[in-house]
PDB file of all heavy atoms in Angstrom:
ATOM      1  N   LEU A 309      21.672  20.442  -3.260  1.00  0.00           N
ATOM      2  CA  LEU A 309      22.808  19.524  -3.350  1.00  0.00           C
ATOM      3  C   LEU A 309      23.269  19.303  -4.790  1.00  0.00           C
ATOM      4  O   LEU A 309      24.272  18.629  -5.014  1.00  0.00           O
ATOM      5  CB  LEU A 309      22.431  18.164  -2.740  1.00  0.00           C
ATOM      6  CG  LEU A 309      22.095  18.146  -1.250  1.00  0.00           C
ATOM      7  CD1 LEU A 309      21.705  16.742  -0.822  1.00  0.00           C
ATOM      8  CD2 LEU A 309      23.269  18.649  -0.419  1.00  0.00           C
ATOM      9  N   LEU A 310      22.539  19.873  -5.743  1.00  0.00           N
ATOM     10  CA  LEU A 310      22.845  19.606  -7.147  1.00  0.00           C
ATOM     11  C   LEU A 310      23.354  20.850  -7.874  1.00  0.00           C
ATOM     12  O   LEU A 310      22.906  21.960  -7.611  1.00  0.00           O
ATOM     13  CB  LEU A 310      21.594  19.078  -7.862  1.00  0.00           C
ATOM     14  CG  LEU A 310      21.020  17.762  -7.335  1.00  0.00           C
ATOM     15  CD1 LEU A 310      19.749  17.402  -8.088  1.00  0.00           C
ATOM     16  CD2 LEU A 310      22.042  16.640  -7.433  1.00  0.00           C
ATOM     17  N   ASN A 311      24.306  20.603  -8.785  1.00  0.00           N
ATOM     18  CA  ASN A 311      24.871  21.660  -9.626  1.00  0.00           C
ATOM     19  C   ASN A 311      25.369  22.839  -8.783  1.00  0.00           C
ATOM     20  O   ASN A 311      24.960  23.987  -8.971  1.00  0.00           O
ATOM     21  CB  ASN A 311      23.833  22.147 -10.642  1.00  0.00           C
ATOM     22  CG  ASN A 311      24.467  22.944 -11.767  1.00  0.00           C
ATOM     23  OD1 ASN A 311      25.568  22.636 -12.225  1.00  0.00           O
ATOM     24  ND2 ASN A 311      23.789  23.984 -12.210  1.00  0.00           N
ATOM     25  N   ILE A 312      26.264  22.543  -7.857  1.00  0.00           N
ATOM     26  CA  ILE A 312      26.824  23.576  -6.977  1.00  0.00           C
ATOM     27  C   ILE A 312      28.339  23.444  -6.882  1.00  0.00           C
ATOM     28  O   ILE A 312      28.912  22.406  -7.209  1.00  0.00           O
ATOM     29  CB  ILE A 312      26.224  23.496  -5.552  1.00  0.00           C
ATOM     30  CG1 ILE A 312      26.550  22.138  -4.906  1.00  0.00           C
ATOM     31  CG2 ILE A 312      24.724  23.730  -5.576  1.00  0.00           C
ATOM     32  CD1 ILE A 312      26.205  22.078  -3.432  1.00  0.00           C
ATOM     33  N   CYS A 313      28.964  24.519  -6.439  1.00  0.00           N
ATOM     34  CA  CYS A 313      30.400  24.530  -6.183  1.00  0.00           C
ATOM     35  C   CYS A 313      30.626  24.646  -4.682  1.00  0.00           C
ATOM     36  O   CYS A 313      29.894  25.363  -3.997  1.00  0.00           O
ATOM     37  CB  CYS A 313      31.071  25.710  -6.879  1.00  0.00           C
ATOM     38  SG  CYS A 313      30.815  25.763  -8.668  1.00  0.00           S
ATOM     39  N   MET A 314      31.630  23.935  -4.186  1.00  0.00           N
ATOM     40  CA  MET A 314      31.909  24.031  -2.760  1.00  0.00           C
ATOM     41  C   MET A 314      32.610  25.355  -2.439  1.00  0.00           C
ATOM     42  O   MET A 314      33.169  26.017  -3.321  1.00  0.00           O
ATOM     43  CB  MET A 314      32.729  22.839  -2.287  1.00  0.00           C
ATOM     44  CG  MET A 314      34.175  22.814  -2.716  1.00  0.00           C
ATOM     45  SD  MET A 314      34.997  21.273  -2.198  1.00  0.00           S
ATOM     46  CE  MET A 314      34.549  20.181  -3.553  1.00  0.00           C
ATOM     47  N   PRO A 323      28.629  27.153 -10.775  1.00  0.00           N
ATOM     48  CA  PRO A 323      29.154  26.501 -11.981  1.00  0.00           C
ATOM     49  C   PRO A 323      28.643  27.167 -13.245  1.00  0.00           C
ATOM     50  O   PRO A 323      27.586  27.803 -13.248  1.00  0.00           O
ATOM     51  CB  PRO A 323      28.626  25.070 -11.863  1.00  0.00           C
ATOM     52  CG  PRO A 323      27.390  25.192 -11.032  1.00  0.00           C
ATOM     53  CD  PRO A 323      27.639  26.319 -10.069  1.00  0.00           C
ATOM     54  N   PRO A 335      36.966  17.884 -19.868  1.00  0.00           N
ATOM     55  CA  PRO A 335      35.639  17.259 -19.846  1.00  0.00           C
ATOM     56  C   PRO A 335      34.574  18.070 -19.111  1.00  0.00           C
ATOM     57  O   PRO A 335      33.378  17.879 -19.342  1.00  0.00           O
ATOM     58  CB  PRO A 335      35.890  15.913 -19.145  1.00  0.00           C
ATOM     59  CG  PRO A 335      37.302  15.579 -19.494  1.00  0.00           C
ATOM     60  CD  PRO A 335      38.008  16.902 -19.463  1.00  0.00           C
ATOM     61  N   TRP A 336      34.996  18.992 -18.254  1.00  0.00           N
ATOM     62  CA  TRP A 336      34.038  19.785 -17.471  1.00  0.00           C
ATOM     63  C   TRP A 336      33.747  21.151 -18.099  1.00  0.00           C
ATOM     64  O   TRP A 336      33.075  21.971 -17.494  1.00  0.00           O
ATOM     65  CB  TRP A 336      34.554  19.973 -16.041  1.00  0.00           C
ATOM     66  CG  TRP A 336      34.503  18.717 -15.221  1.00  0.00           C
ATOM     67  CD1 TRP A 336      33.451  18.265 -14.477  1.00  0.00           C
ATOM     68  CD2 TRP A 336      35.533  17.737 -15.057  1.00  0.00           C
ATOM     69  NE1 TRP A 336      33.753  17.073 -13.865  1.00  0.00           N
ATOM     70  CE2 TRP A 336      35.034  16.722 -14.198  1.00  0.00           C
ATOM     71  CE3 TRP A 336      36.836  17.605 -15.554  1.00  0.00           C
ATOM     72  CZ2 TRP A 336      35.780  15.606 -13.823  1.00  0.00           C
ATOM     73  CZ3 TRP A 336      37.580  16.500 -15.185  1.00  0.00           C
ATOM     74  CH2 TRP A 336      37.054  15.513 -14.331  1.00  0.00           C
ATOM     75  N   ASN A 339      30.220  22.870 -18.047  1.00  0.00           N
ATOM     76  CA  ASN A 339      29.652  23.285 -16.762  1.00  0.00           C
ATOM     77  C   ASN A 339      30.682  23.003 -15.674  1.00  0.00           C
ATOM     78  O   ASN A 339      30.817  21.858 -15.239  1.00  0.00           O
ATOM     79  CB  ASN A 339      28.350  22.544 -16.475  1.00  0.00           C
ATOM     80  CG  ASN A 339      27.578  23.153 -15.325  1.00  0.00           C
ATOM     81  OD1 ASN A 339      27.585  24.362 -15.130  1.00  0.00           O
ATOM     82  ND2 ASN A 339      26.888  22.319 -14.559  1.00  0.00           N
ATOM     83  N   ALA A 340      31.403  24.025 -15.270  1.00  0.00           N
ATOM     84  CA  ALA A 340      32.554  23.821 -14.383  1.00  0.00           C
ATOM     85  C   ALA A 340      32.551  24.756 -13.181  1.00  0.00           C
ATOM     86  O   ALA A 340      32.047  25.877 -13.240  1.00  0.00           O
ATOM     87  CB  ALA A 340      33.850  24.024 -15.171  1.00  0.00           C
ATOM     88  N   CYS A 341      33.153  24.269 -12.101  1.00  0.00           N
ATOM     89  CA  CYS A 341      33.374  25.091 -10.908  1.00  0.00           C
ATOM     90  C   CYS A 341      34.776  25.687 -10.899  1.00  0.00           C
ATOM     91  O   CYS A 341      35.143  26.408  -9.970  1.00  0.00           O
ATOM     92  CB  CYS A 341      33.171  24.250  -9.649  1.00  0.00           C
ATOM     93  SG  CYS A 341      31.436  23.877  -9.301  1.00  0.00           S
ATOM     94  N   LEU A 382      38.762  16.852 -11.059  1.00  0.00           N
ATOM     95  CA  LEU A 382      37.454  16.487 -10.509  1.00  0.00           C
ATOM     96  C   LEU A 382      37.133  17.362  -9.300  1.00  0.00           C
ATOM     97  O   LEU A 382      36.032  17.922  -9.196  1.00  0.00           O
ATOM     98  CB  LEU A 382      37.445  15.013 -10.103  1.00  0.00           C
ATOM     99  CG  LEU A 382      36.168  14.520  -9.397  1.00  0.00           C
ATOM    100  CD1 LEU A 382      34.989  14.486 -10.367  1.00  0.00           C
ATOM    101  CD2 LEU A 382      36.391  13.130  -8.790  1.00  0.00           C
ATOM    102  N   TYR A 383      38.086  17.502  -8.398  1.00  0.00           N
ATOM    103  CA  TYR A 383      37.873  18.284  -7.177  1.00  0.00           C
ATOM    104  C   TYR A 383      37.588  19.756  -7.481  1.00  0.00           C
ATOM    105  O   TYR A 383      36.665  20.356  -6.928  1.00  0.00           O
ATOM    106  CB  TYR A 383      39.107  18.165  -6.272  1.00  0.00           C
ATOM    107  CG  TYR A 383      39.076  19.100  -5.085  1.00  0.00           C
ATOM    108  CD1 TYR A 383      38.315  18.806  -3.955  1.00  0.00           C
ATOM    109  CD2 TYR A 383      39.804  20.293  -5.094  1.00  0.00           C
ATOM    110  CE1 TYR A 383      38.271  19.667  -2.871  1.00  0.00           C
ATOM    111  CE2 TYR A 383      39.771  21.161  -4.017  1.00  0.00           C
ATOM    112  CZ  TYR A 383      38.999  20.842  -2.908  1.00  0.00           C
ATOM    113  OH  TYR A 383      38.962  21.712  -1.855  1.00  0.00           O
ATOM    114  N   GLU A 384      38.380  20.336  -8.366  1.00  0.00           N
ATOM    115  CA  GLU A 384      38.261  21.772  -8.641  1.00  0.00           C
ATOM    116  C   GLU A 384      37.100  22.101  -9.580  1.00  0.00           C
ATOM    117  O   GLU A 384      36.501  23.176  -9.460  1.00  0.00           O
ATOM    118  CB  GLU A 384      39.560  22.302  -9.261  1.00  0.00           C
ATOM    119  CG  GLU A 384      40.810  22.146  -8.398  1.00  0.00           C
ATOM    120  CD  GLU A 384      40.826  23.074  -7.203  1.00  0.00           C
ATOM    121  OE1 GLU A 384      39.955  23.968  -7.098  1.00  0.00           O
ATOM    122  OE2 GLU A 384      41.719  22.911  -6.352  1.00  0.00           O
ATOM    123  N   CYS A 385      36.801  21.208 -10.521  1.00  0.00           N
ATOM    124  CA  CYS A 385      35.888  21.553 -11.616  1.00  0.00           C
ATOM    125  C   CYS A 385      34.485  20.993 -11.502  1.00  0.00           C
ATOM    126  O   CYS A 385      33.538  21.568 -12.054  1.00  0.00           O
ATOM    127  CB  CYS A 385      36.479  21.095 -12.952  1.00  0.00           C
ATOM    128  SG  CYS A 385      38.101  21.812 -13.341  1.00  0.00           S
ATOM    129  N   SER A 386      34.311  19.865 -10.820  1.00  0.00           N
ATOM    130  CA  SER A 386      33.011  19.185 -10.856  1.00  0.00           C
ATOM    131  C   SER A 386      31.921  19.931 -10.095  1.00  0.00           C
ATOM    132  O   SER A 386      32.114  20.297  -8.926  1.00  0.00           O
ATOM    133  CB  SER A 386      33.139  17.772 -10.287  1.00  0.00           C
ATOM    134  OG  SER A 386      31.861  17.151 -10.270  1.00  0.00           O
ATOM    135  N   PRO A 387      30.749  20.117 -10.721  1.00  0.00           N
ATOM    136  CA  PRO A 387      29.591  20.689 -10.019  1.00  0.00           C
ATOM    137  C   PRO A 387      28.668  19.597  -9.475  1.00  0.00           C
ATOM    138  O   PRO A 387      27.545  19.871  -9.083  1.00  0.00           O
ATOM    139  CB  PRO A 387      28.889  21.479 -11.126  1.00  0.00           C
ATOM    140  CG  PRO A 387      29.128  20.647 -12.342  1.00  0.00           C
ATOM    141  CD  PRO A 387      30.497  19.997 -12.166  1.00  0.00           C
ATOM    142  N   ASN A 388      29.164  18.349  -9.476  1.00  0.00           N
ATOM    143  CA  ASN A 388      28.323  17.197  -9.127  1.00  0.00           C
ATOM    144  C   ASN A 388      28.765  16.492  -7.846  1.00  0.00           C
ATOM    145  O   ASN A 388      28.550  15.293  -7.680  1.00  0.00           O
ATOM    146  CB  ASN A 388      28.326  16.181 -10.276  1.00  0.00           C
ATOM    147  CG  ASN A 388      28.003  16.806 -11.608  1.00  0.00           C
ATOM    148  OD1 ASN A 388      28.784  16.735 -12.556  1.00  0.00           O
ATOM    149  ND2 ASN A 388      26.849  17.462 -11.698  1.00  0.00           N
ATOM    150  N   LEU A 389      29.377  17.240  -6.935  1.00  0.00           N
ATOM    151  CA  LEU A 389      29.862  16.652  -5.683  1.00  0.00           C
ATOM    152  C   LEU A 389      29.044  17.111  -4.476  1.00  0.00           C
ATOM    153  O   LEU A 389      29.414  16.849  -3.326  1.00  0.00           O
ATOM    154  CB  LEU A 389      31.349  17.004  -5.486  1.00  0.00           C
ATOM    155  CG  LEU A 389      32.288  16.526  -6.599  1.00  0.00           C
ATOM    156  CD1 LEU A 389      33.711  17.031  -6.353  1.00  0.00           C
ATOM    157  CD2 LEU A 389      32.280  15.008  -6.707  1.00  0.00           C
ATOM    158  N   GLY A 390      27.921  17.777  -4.731  1.00  0.00           N
ATOM    159  CA  GLY A 390      27.110  18.352  -3.671  1.00  0.00           C
ATOM    160  C   GLY A 390      26.693  17.397  -2.566  1.00  0.00           C
ATOM    161  O   GLY A 390      26.761  17.753  -1.387  1.00  0.00           O
ATOM    162  N   PRO A 391      26.269  16.162  -2.897  1.00  0.00           N
ATOM    163  CA  PRO A 391      25.830  15.254  -1.832  1.00  0.00           C
ATOM    164  C   PRO A 391      26.922  14.891  -0.832  1.00  0.00           C
ATOM    165  O   PRO A 391      26.619  14.367   0.245  1.00  0.00           O
ATOM    166  CB  PRO A 391      25.364  14.009  -2.609  1.00  0.00           C
ATOM    167  CG  PRO A 391      24.969  14.536  -3.950  1.00  0.00           C
ATOM    168  CD  PRO A 391      25.963  15.624  -4.240  1.00  0.00           C
ATOM    169  N   TRP A 392      28.188  15.173  -1.181  1.00  0.00           N
ATOM    170  CA  TRP A 392      29.297  14.787  -0.300  1.00  0.00           C
ATOM    171  C   TRP A 392      30.071  15.993   0.248  1.00  0.00           C
ATOM    172  O   TRP A 392      31.130  15.829   0.827  1.00  0.00           O
ATOM    173  CB  TRP A 392      30.238  13.852  -1.052  1.00  0.00           C
ATOM    174  CG  TRP A 392      29.500  12.666  -1.588  1.00  0.00           C
ATOM    175  CD1 TRP A 392      29.144  11.527  -0.922  1.00  0.00           C
ATOM    176  CD2 TRP A 392      28.961  12.518  -2.905  1.00  0.00           C
ATOM    177  NE1 TRP A 392      28.438  10.687  -1.731  1.00  0.00           N
ATOM    178  CE2 TRP A 392      28.311  11.265  -2.970  1.00  0.00           C
ATOM    179  CE3 TRP A 392      28.981  13.327  -4.054  1.00  0.00           C
ATOM    180  CZ2 TRP A 392      27.676  10.814  -4.118  1.00  0.00           C
ATOM    181  CZ3 TRP A 392      28.344  12.871  -5.203  1.00  0.00           C
ATOM    182  CH2 TRP A 392      27.702  11.622  -5.226  1.00  0.00           C
ATOM    183  N   ILE A 393      29.540  17.184   0.061  1.00  0.00           N
ATOM    184  CA  ILE A 393      30.211  18.369   0.602  1.00  0.00           C
ATOM    185  C   ILE A 393      30.003  18.408   2.108  1.00  0.00           C
ATOM    186  O   ILE A 393      28.899  18.235   2.607  1.00  0.00           O
ATOM    187  CB  ILE A 393      29.679  19.654  -0.063  1.00  0.00           C
ATOM    188  CG1 ILE A 393      30.146  19.720  -1.537  1.00  0.00           C
ATOM    189  CG2 ILE A 393      30.156  20.891   0.691  1.00  0.00           C
ATOM    190  CD1 ILE A 393      29.634  20.927  -2.300  1.00  0.00           C
ATOM    191  N   ILE A 405      35.079  17.676   0.428  1.00  0.00           N
ATOM    192  CA  ILE A 405      34.256  16.518   0.075  1.00  0.00           C
ATOM    193  C   ILE A 405      34.620  15.359   0.998  1.00  0.00           C
ATOM    194  O   ILE A 405      35.765  15.232   1.442  1.00  0.00           O
ATOM    195  CB  ILE A 405      34.426  16.107  -1.402  1.00  0.00           C
ATOM    196  CG1 ILE A 405      35.908  15.982  -1.781  1.00  0.00           C
ATOM    197  CG2 ILE A 405      33.688  17.062  -2.308  1.00  0.00           C
ATOM    198  CD1 ILE A 405      36.153  15.444  -3.177  1.00  0.00           C
ATOM    199  N   VAL A 408      33.100  10.488  -1.147  1.00  0.00           N
ATOM    200  CA  VAL A 408      32.598  10.418  -2.530  1.00  0.00           C
ATOM    201  C   VAL A 408      32.826   8.996  -3.051  1.00  0.00           C
ATOM    202  O   VAL A 408      33.963   8.503  -3.039  1.00  0.00           O
ATOM    203  CB  VAL A 408      33.335  11.425  -3.440  1.00  0.00           C
ATOM    204  CG1 VAL A 408      32.917  11.242  -4.891  1.00  0.00           C
ATOM    205  CG2 VAL A 408      33.098  12.843  -2.972  1.00  0.00           C
ATOM    206  N   PRO A 409      31.786   8.298  -3.515  1.00  0.00           N
ATOM    207  CA  PRO A 409      31.944   6.911  -3.977  1.00  0.00           C
ATOM    208  C   PRO A 409      32.625   6.858  -5.349  1.00  0.00           C
ATOM    209  O   PRO A 409      31.985   7.041  -6.383  1.00  0.00           O
ATOM    210  CB  PRO A 409      30.501   6.400  -4.042  1.00  0.00           C
ATOM    211  CG  PRO A 409      29.684   7.631  -4.308  1.00  0.00           C
ATOM    212  CD  PRO A 409      30.382   8.762  -3.610  1.00  0.00           C
ATOM    213  N   CYS A 485      28.205   5.566  -8.921  1.00  0.00           N
ATOM    214  CA  CYS A 485      29.548   5.952  -8.482  1.00  0.00           C
ATOM    215  C   CYS A 485      30.061   7.103  -9.347  1.00  0.00           C
ATOM    216  O   CYS A 485      29.681   7.254 -10.511  1.00  0.00           O
ATOM    217  CB  CYS A 485      30.511   4.762  -8.531  1.00  0.00           C
ATOM    218  SG  CYS A 485      30.740   4.047 -10.184  1.00  0.00           S
ATOM    219  N   ILE A 486      30.915   7.919  -8.749  1.00  0.00           N
ATOM    220  CA  ILE A 486      31.482   9.075  -9.437  1.00  0.00           C
ATOM    221  C   ILE A 486      32.703   8.660 -10.256  1.00  0.00           C
ATOM    222  O   ILE A 486      33.570   7.926  -9.780  1.00  0.00           O
ATOM    223  CB  ILE A 486      31.894  10.158  -8.404  1.00  0.00           C
ATOM    224  CG1 ILE A 486      30.644  10.769  -7.757  1.00  0.00           C
ATOM    225  CG2 ILE A 486      32.747  11.241  -9.051  1.00  0.00           C
ATOM    226  CD1 ILE A 486      29.785  11.604  -8.692  1.00  0.00           C
ATOM    227  N   GLN A 487      32.738   9.117 -11.492  1.00  0.00           N
ATOM    228  CA  GLN A 487      33.863   8.834 -12.384  1.00  0.00           C
ATOM    229  C   GLN A 487      34.813  10.015 -12.448  1.00  0.00           C
ATOM    230  O   GLN A 487      34.392  11.142 -12.715  1.00  0.00           O
ATOM    231  CB  GLN A 487      33.350   8.517 -13.802  1.00  0.00           C
ATOM    232  CG  GLN A 487      32.505   7.260 -13.876  1.00  0.00           C
ATOM    233  CD  GLN A 487      32.027   6.952 -15.288  1.00  0.00           C
ATOM    234  OE1 GLN A 487      30.998   6.326 -15.465  1.00  0.00           O
ATOM    235  NE2 GLN A 487      32.781   7.366 -16.302  1.00  0.00           N
ATOM    236  N   PHE A 490      35.948  10.270 -17.837  1.00  0.00           N
ATOM    237  CA  PHE A 490      34.778  10.035 -18.680  1.00  0.00           C
ATOM    238  C   PHE A 490      34.946  10.780 -19.999  1.00  0.00           C
ATOM    239  O   PHE A 490      35.716  11.725 -20.115  1.00  0.00           O
ATOM    240  CB  PHE A 490      33.483  10.457 -17.972  1.00  0.00           C
ATOM    241  CG  PHE A 490      33.391  11.927 -17.624  1.00  0.00           C
ATOM    242  CD1 PHE A 490      32.840  12.838 -18.527  1.00  0.00           C
ATOM    243  CD2 PHE A 490      33.843  12.396 -16.390  1.00  0.00           C
ATOM    244  CE1 PHE A 490      32.748  14.186 -18.210  1.00  0.00           C
ATOM    245  CE2 PHE A 490      33.750  13.744 -16.075  1.00  0.00           C
ATOM    246  CZ  PHE A 490      33.196  14.643 -16.978  1.00  0.00           C
ATOM    247  N   GLY A 495      28.407  12.933 -22.642  1.00  0.00           N
ATOM    248  CA  GLY A 495      27.788  13.608 -21.515  1.00  0.00           C
ATOM    249  C   GLY A 495      28.512  13.296 -20.218  1.00  0.00           C
ATOM    250  O   GLY A 495      29.369  12.405 -20.164  1.00  0.00           O
ATOM    251  N   ASN A 496      28.171  14.024 -19.179  1.00  0.00           N
ATOM    252  CA  ASN A 496      28.803  13.833 -17.880  1.00  0.00           C
ATOM    253  C   ASN A 496      28.006  12.805 -17.074  1.00  0.00           C
ATOM    254  O   ASN A 496      26.903  13.087 -16.620  1.00  0.00           O
ATOM    255  CB  ASN A 496      28.866  15.171 -17.136  1.00  0.00           C
ATOM    256  CG  ASN A 496      29.613  15.083 -15.823  1.00  0.00           C
ATOM    257  OD1 ASN A 496      29.797  14.003 -15.269  1.00  0.00           O
ATOM    258  ND2 ASN A 496      30.050  16.219 -15.314  1.00  0.00           N
ATOM    259  N   PRO A 497      28.557  11.599 -16.855  1.00  0.00           N
ATOM    260  CA  PRO A 497      27.803  10.546 -16.154  1.00  0.00           C
ATOM    261  C   PRO A 497      27.575  10.853 -14.680  1.00  0.00           C
ATOM    262  O   PRO A 497      26.743  10.211 -14.030  1.00  0.00           O
ATOM    263  CB  PRO A 497      28.701   9.311 -16.314  1.00  0.00           C
ATOM    264  CG  PRO A 497      30.086   9.882 -16.423  1.00  0.00           C
ATOM    265  CD  PRO A 497      29.925  11.166 -17.197  1.00  0.00           C
ATOM    266  N   ASN A 498      28.302  11.834 -14.142  1.00  0.00           N
ATOM    267  CA  ASN A 498      28.190  12.135 -12.715  1.00  0.00           C
ATOM    268  C   ASN A 498      26.941  12.945 -12.367  1.00  0.00           C
ATOM    269  O   ASN A 498      26.588  13.070 -11.193  1.00  0.00           O
ATOM    270  CB  ASN A 498      29.443  12.864 -12.228  1.00  0.00           C
ATOM    271  CG  ASN A 498      30.680  11.995 -12.355  1.00  0.00           C
ATOM    272  OD1 ASN A 498      30.597  10.772 -12.246  1.00  0.00           O
ATOM    273  ND2 ASN A 498      31.827  12.612 -12.594  1.00  0.00           N
ATOM    274  N   VAL A 499      26.281  13.495 -13.386  1.00  0.00           N
ATOM    275  CA  VAL A 499      25.060  14.269 -13.136  1.00  0.00           C
ATOM    276  C   VAL A 499      23.990  13.378 -12.520  1.00  0.00           C
ATOM    277  O   VAL A 499      23.389  13.709 -11.493  1.00  0.00           O
ATOM    278  CB  VAL A 499      24.541  14.917 -14.442  1.00  0.00           C
ATOM    279  CG1 VAL A 499      23.186  15.585 -14.197  1.00  0.00           C
ATOM    280  CG2 VAL A 499      25.546  15.941 -14.960  1.00  0.00           C
ATOM    281  N   VAL A 500      23.739  12.214 -13.140  1.00  0.00           N
ATOM    282  CA  VAL A 500      22.690  11.318 -12.631  1.00  0.00           C
ATOM    283  C   VAL A 500      23.104  10.693 -11.305  1.00  0.00           C
ATOM    284  O   VAL A 500      22.264  10.398 -10.450  1.00  0.00           O
ATOM    285  CB  VAL A 500      22.342  10.234 -13.674  1.00  0.00           C
ATOM    286  CG1 VAL A 500      23.476   9.231 -13.837  1.00  0.00           C
ATOM    287  CG2 VAL A 500      21.055   9.509 -13.301  1.00  0.00           C
ATOM    288  N   VAL A 501      24.412  10.495 -11.103  1.00  0.00           N
ATOM    289  CA  VAL A 501      24.906   9.942  -9.839  1.00  0.00           C
ATOM    290  C   VAL A 501      24.610  10.916  -8.696  1.00  0.00           C
ATOM    291  O   VAL A 501      24.136  10.526  -7.621  1.00  0.00           O
ATOM    292  CB  VAL A 501      26.419   9.648  -9.911  1.00  0.00           C
ATOM    293  CG1 VAL A 501      26.934   9.118  -8.574  1.00  0.00           C
ATOM    294  CG2 VAL A 501      26.719   8.641 -11.014  1.00  0.00           C
ATOM    295  N   ALA A 502      24.888  12.192  -8.933  1.00  0.00           N
ATOM    296  CA  ALA A 502      24.620  13.214  -7.914  1.00  0.00           C
ATOM    297  C   ALA A 502      23.119  13.281  -7.609  1.00  0.00           C
ATOM    298  O   ALA A 502      22.716  13.425  -6.442  1.00  0.00           O
ATOM    299  CB  ALA A 502      25.137  14.569  -8.379  1.00  0.00           C
ATOM    300  N   LYS A 503      22.281  13.163  -8.648  1.00  0.00           N
ATOM    301  CA  LYS A 503      20.827  13.186  -8.433  1.00  0.00           C
ATOM    302  C   LYS A 503      20.380  12.007  -7.573  1.00  0.00           C
ATOM    303  O   LYS A 503      19.553  12.164  -6.661  1.00  0.00           O
ATOM    304  CB  LYS A 503      20.097  13.160  -9.781  1.00  0.00           C
ATOM    305  CG  LYS A 503      20.180  14.461 -10.552  1.00  0.00           C
ATOM    306  CD  LYS A 503      19.397  14.366 -11.843  1.00  0.00           C
ATOM    307  CE  LYS A 503      19.433  15.688 -12.611  1.00  0.00           C
ATOM    308  NZ  LYS A 503      18.665  15.620 -13.868  1.00  0.00           N
ATOM    309  N   TYR A 505      22.169  10.268  -5.347  1.00  0.00           N
ATOM    310  CA  TYR A 505      22.606  10.374  -3.952  1.00  0.00           C
ATOM    311  C   TYR A 505      21.988  11.573  -3.234  1.00  0.00           C
ATOM    312  O   TYR A 505      21.847  11.551  -2.007  1.00  0.00           O
ATOM    313  CB  TYR A 505      24.133  10.408  -3.877  1.00  0.00           C
ATOM    314  CG  TYR A 505      24.750   9.032  -4.016  1.00  0.00           C
ATOM    315  CD1 TYR A 505      25.250   8.588  -5.234  1.00  0.00           C
ATOM    316  CD2 TYR A 505      24.801   8.166  -2.935  1.00  0.00           C
ATOM    317  CE1 TYR A 505      25.802   7.316  -5.376  1.00  0.00           C
ATOM    318  CE2 TYR A 505      25.341   6.891  -3.064  1.00  0.00           C
ATOM    319  CZ  TYR A 505      25.840   6.473  -4.277  1.00  0.00           C
ATOM    320  OH  TYR A 505      26.364   5.204  -4.403  1.00  0.00           O
ATOM    321  N   ALA A 506      21.625  12.595  -3.968  1.00  0.00           N
ATOM    322  CA  ALA A 506      20.902  13.717  -3.350  1.00  0.00           C
ATOM    323  C   ALA A 506      19.533  13.234  -2.873  1.00  0.00           C
ATOM    324  O   ALA A 506      19.106  13.558  -1.754  1.00  0.00           O
ATOM    325  CB  ALA A 506      20.747  14.858  -4.346  1.00  0.00           C
TER     326      ALA A 506
END
Side-chain angles (χ1 to χ4, degrees):
L309 297 178
L310 298 177
N311 196 37
I312 61 170
C313 303
M314 72 185 85
W336 289 272
N339 193 35
C341 286
L382 175 69
Y383 171 79
E384 300 289 351
C385 301
S386 177
N388 309 122
L389 301 175
W392 304 279
I393 290 178
I405 50 174
V408 174
C485 61
I486 291 292
Q487 296 181 207
F490 62 90
N496 185 341
N498 297 329
V499 174
V500 70
V501 178
K503 287 182 178 181
Y505 281 98

